[in-house]
Amino acid sequence: MSFLLFSLVLKFSSPHHFLTNEASIKCSSMLQNKNQNMAGKPFNMKTLSFMSKTFLGKIENHLNIPGRLGNVHAPHLKFQKYSYLAHGSEELQNQTLLFHVEGALLKSSSLFSYFMLVAFEAGWLLRALILLLLYPLVSFLCLVCEEVGLKIMVFVCFVGIKKDRFVIGRSVLPKFFLEDVGYECFDVVMRCGKKVGVTNLPEVMVNCFLRDYMGVEAVVGRELKVFCGYYLGLMEEKKSAKVVLKEIFEEEKEGAHVIGIGCFNVSFDHQLFSHCKEIYLVSEAEKKNWQILPREKYPKPLVFHDGRLAFRPTPVATLVMLMWVPFGLLVAILRVLATSLLPLHICVPVLSCIGMRGSAPSPNSLPTPIIYGEKSKGILYVCNHRTLIDPLYVSAAVRKPVTAVTYSLSKISELVSPIKTIRLARKREEDAKMIEKRLSQGNLVICPEGTTCREPYLLRFSPLFAETTDDIVPVAIDFQSSMFYGTTASGLKCLDPLFIVMNPTTNCDVKILEKLPKDFTCGVGGKSKFEVANYVQAKIAEALGFECTNLTRKDKYLMLAGNEGKA
């Protein structure tokens, strides 16, 4: 029996696995001599224990990353712990780096959340439910053969999706990738000269994240098969190492120093790493101790993103979401009935009891209407835009009905709105006259950004409001939802109200700021409309702790939906 065990050890210790032929011959000779000496003696249990430990150790080494990379036949490869690279990276700016995205850059090695985002955003609840039901099978198959589990998730998420309409890779996934980046490895990657990201995922999922947000020069991922403009849910075969290396390193000098970063427990047996002089391996224990990349360290600010899910869809979180949907529909009906049928002073506490909470200023701090002669003129409330129900919260905060000035509200949203709405015609003179007329009838609320922004940034304010009146009150709004985003750029806008009221809980913080001083108005103060708009934007940003930008509605829609956002 000891002979059998030791033979198995030799099998896993072949020249292909870092033992020379001479070493194998010596081991065999030693084994034969040992068996001759043990002939006629009872079997030694200590020998069996020793042989078993040796056998298991060799199997463990065989399953480890260096063993997985043995198929690249590169005797020059040098494996080191990642910590050596992290503490000695002074000369990295002159080197080329190959890093494995899932194994080295991201803290979590699980890919389920990213595929669930694709399944839900591209295929809605049915596709998400199918992927969740297959999760136990996929998890088991990934333990046996990671490639099989990956192919199943790719098929479920991508089959039947139109290629030209797939924008999730640039509009949804970058946010969740950035929130999973390990700060320590990110710091090393950013110090390198040329950066090449290697991934097992379809390239369409990670390309925008790596190139636009990480500054990666090249991405090596899997291509998806397409038929008549639709994804088949199947991946193309991996490109040969020679072709990929030629594309990436065609400008590199012969013998250029290239290093690689991977993970002990994640398979990355790609022949690209045969080009590396050194490969640094990260352990799962090290990744658990990594910090999440802070927002202020993002190479490119994350201002815009799309999608309906406001949480990371892990298997447990996804199950909770799917179980909540039937109850969420009932809660949504109750909330709509409350806002439509109840008076304002009763509606606010009722909504708070069923999850839609908020904070507002005290009545003593609210501005009063301006009286000109015998007629009173309304106040123009200018607020930043977080959701389509911002005017409702302003109305609740000032404890008076207001009329909302809208830019591109859907017909369904206008029908279910409990307050009056007026739509801009996008003609400056005509819109200005309409706003002046409505102000003579009561209070107005306007969102000069023209579109919503989910992140702590303010888009450029349109100066139209500054020309219409000097009675301007800035309003700062911050809205947080627990499960769904109630806005979209590339999806169905008619469902925006439903997703807002389906959230288990929401919280809206409304701050009524001081009325604009006369010195900072167009009429009495003589300021230009652009100066007034910028002043109001700065005041709201200061109150919220947000950052002002010059980005516009057009910029948002070009990035997220590929159009100019004209409704």
Side-chain angles (χ1 to χ4, degrees):
M1 185 173 182
S2 62
F3 176 79
L4 175 61
L5 284 172
F6 206 85
S7 298
L8 289 172
V9 171
L10 290 177
K11 180 178 179 180
F12 281 97
S13 303
S14 62
H16 185 67
H17 296 96
F18 308 112
L19 274 185
T20 63
N21 290 327
E22 291 80 359
S24 300
I25 294 173
K26 288 182 179 179
C27 289
S28 299
S29 177
M30 290 171 58
L31 177 63
Q32 291 176 359
N33 294 335
K34 187 172 182 66
N35 277 281
Q36 289 177 0
N37 295 332
M38 293 179 63
K41 297 181 181 180
F43 181 72
N44 191 340
M45 293 301 295
K46 292 183 179 180
T47 303
L48 175 61
S49 176
F50 170 76
M51 296 297 182
S52 300
K53 291 179 180 179
T54 305
F55 173 61
L56 294 176
K58 291 297 180 181
I59 291 180
E60 182 178 358
N61 291 335
H62 172 69
L63 294 176
N64 214 337
I65 292 300
R68 293 181 184 183
L69 286 173
N71 61 351
V72 299
H73 302 291
H76 66 273
L77 288 181
K78 180 181 179 182
F79 297 96
Q80 297 190 46
K81 291 185 177 180
Y82 162 79
S83 56
Y84 296 146
L85 178 64
H87 296 300
S89 53
E90 294 81 5
E91 300 179 356
L92 290 178
Q93 59 182 356
N94 298 322
Q95 298 179 354
T96 298
L97 173 69
L98 264 69
F99 66 93
H100 190 256
V101 178
E102 304 93 274
L105 184 64
L106 304 180
K107 274 177 62 72
S108 173
S109 299
S110 173
L111 303 178
F112 177 84
S113 298
Y114 306 112
F115 281 105
M116 178 54 71
L117 286 166
V118 175
F120 182 84
E121 302 296 346
W124 290 83
L125 290 176
L126 179 59
R127 198 181 294 254
L129 178 61
I130 294 174
L131 182 61
L132 182 64
L133 293 176
L134 290 174
Y135 173 70
L137 175 63
V138 171
S139 298
F140 172 76
L141 291 176
C142 284
L143 295 176
V144 179
C145 180
E146 185 176 337
E147 181 76 3
V148 176
L150 179 65
K151 287 181 177 180
I152 292 177
M153 290 192 290
V154 169
F155 181 81
V156 172
C157 295
F158 282 94
V159 62
I161 301 298
K162 195 170 184 178
K163 181 181 178 180
D164 294 341
R165 294 184 180 179
F166 185 82
V167 296
I168 297 172
R170 71 169 183 264
S171 63
V172 179
L173 292 176
K175 171 185 181 291
F176 292 91
F177 279 127
L178 284 168
E179 291 175 348
D180 196 28
V181 171
Y183 182 33
E184 286 75 2
C185 190
F186 165 83
D187 185 50
V188 174
V189 171
M190 288 297 104
R191 285 190 236 174
C192 292
K194 185 173 184 178
K195 298 175 281 289
V196 180
V198 182
T199 176
N200 297 330
L201 293 169
E203 187 174 329
V204 70
M205 291 177 63
V206 299
N207 189 61
C208 179
F209 158 65
L210 292 175
R211 291 183 182 272
D212 295 348
Y213 289 93
M214 292 286 107
V216 173
E217 287 83 357
V219 179
V220 182
R222 305 290 293 273
E223 297 290 341
L224 296 176
K225 294 183 178 181
V226 179
F227 180 75
C228 293
Y230 289 86
Y231 288 121
L232 297 179
L234 304 174
M235 292 187 290
E236 299 281 1
E237 295 297 326
K238 294 181 179 180
K239 296 181 181 179
S240 65
K242 291 183 179 180
V243 174
V244 177
L245 290 173
K246 184 178 179 180
E247 293 176 354
I248 296 175
F249 300 110
E250 57 183 354
E251 298 178 358
E252 296 285 336
K253 296 184 295 183
E254 190 71 23
H257 192 67
V258 182
I259 60 175
I261 304 179
C263 182
F264 279 106
N265 301 328
V266 178
S267 175
F268 62 102
D269 53 340
H270 202 293
Q271 294 190 5
L272 280 174
F273 285 89
S274 65
H275 195 77
C276 299
K277 301 294 183 182
E278 300 172 337
I279 296 181
Y280 295 86
L281 299 177
V282 185
S283 66
E284 289 293 337
E286 287 177 312
K287 292 175 66 175
K288 288 180 180 179
N289 294 327
W290 283 356
Q291 297 179 357
I292 293 294
L293 180 65
R295 174 182 292 275
E296 58 271 15
K297 296 292 184 179
Y298 287 1
K300 175 184 175 182
L302 180 69
V303 181
F304 301 126
H305 60 86
D306 207 6
R308 294 295 190 182
L309 297 184
F311 64 96
R312 178 173 291 273
T314 62
V316 174
T318 303
L319 178 62
V320 172
M321 182 265 293
L322 293 175
M323 294 174 62
W324 166 256
V325 168
F327 299 100
L329 291 173
L330 295 177
V331 172
I333 294 173
L334 291 176
R335 289 169 175 171
V336 171
L337 291 176
T339 56
S340 302
L341 303 177
L342 298 178
L344 186 62
H345 66 282
I346 299 177
C347 176
V348 172
V350 170
L351 289 178
S352 181
C353 291
I354 53 179
M356 297 190 74
R357 302 179 179 87
S359 61
S362 61
N364 297 331
S365 62
L366 298 177
T368 57
I370 309 300
I371 299 178
Y372 294 97
E374 298 179 354
K375 295 183 178 181
S376 63
K377 189 175 182 181
I379 296 174
L380 180 61
Y381 294 96
V382 179
C383 66
N384 60 305
H385 205 4
R386 303 293 279 181
T387 69
L388 60 87
I389 60 174
D390 292 337
L392 297 180
Y393 282 103
V394 174
S395 178
V398 300
R399 294 165 176 81
K400 293 179 180 179
V402 297
T403 301
V405 180
T406 66
Y407 181 76
S408 61
L409 198 65
S410 68
K411 294 295 183 181
I412 293 181
S413 298
E414 288 182 345
L415 288 174
V416 300
S417 175
I419 62 175
K420 295 180 181 179
T421 62
I422 56 174
R423 183 185 291 266
L424 293 177
R426 300 179 201 158
K427 297 178 181 179
R428 190 176 64 86
E429 295 182 358
E430 182 179 336
D431 290 339
K433 290 180 180 180
M434 180 182 61
I435 292 175
E436 291 177 359
K437 179 181 178 181
R438 293 287 182 169
L439 279 173
S440 64
Q441 301 171 359
N443 299 326
L444 289 184
V445 57
I446 188 171
C447 303
E449 288 176 288
T451 187
T452 57
C453 183
R454 300 173 177 177
E455 297 302 313
Y457 297 94
L458 295 185
L459 307 186
R460 190 176 71 194
F461 277 27
S462 169
L464 174 65
F465 71 91
E467 300 175 302
T468 58
T469 181
D470 288 348
D471 302 318
I472 298 173
V473 176
V475 181
I477 294 181
D478 192 13
F479 186 89
Q480 302 295 331
S481 54
S482 58
M483 187 172 287
F484 302 111
Y485 287 117
T487 60
T488 182
S490 58
L492 297 175
K493 287 185 174 293
C494 61
L495 297 179
D496 286 356
L498 177 62
F499 276 103
I500 290 178
V501 295
M502 273 185 62
N503 274 292
T505 59
T506 63
N507 185 72
C508 186
D509 183 21
V510 181
K511 298 179 181 179
I512 306 294
L513 307 183
E514 293 184 1
K515 184 182 174 182
L516 221 61
K518 293 297 182 181
D519 294 341
F520 284 93
T521 61
C522 292
V524 178
K527 299 291 185 180
S528 70
K529 59 182 180 181
F530 300 104
E531 290 177 311
V532 174
N534 292 338
Y535 178 81
V536 174
Q537 183 195 37
K539 283 296 182 183
I540 294 177
E542 181 183 359
L544 295 172
F546 288 5
E547 183 178 340
C548 296
T549 72
N550 285 321
L551 299 172
T552 64
R553 173 189 176 89
K554 181 179 178 180
D555 296 320
K556 171 184 172 179
Y557 278 83
L558 284 175
M559 177 181 174
L560 300 182
N563 57 63
E564 296 186 1
K566 294 181 180 179

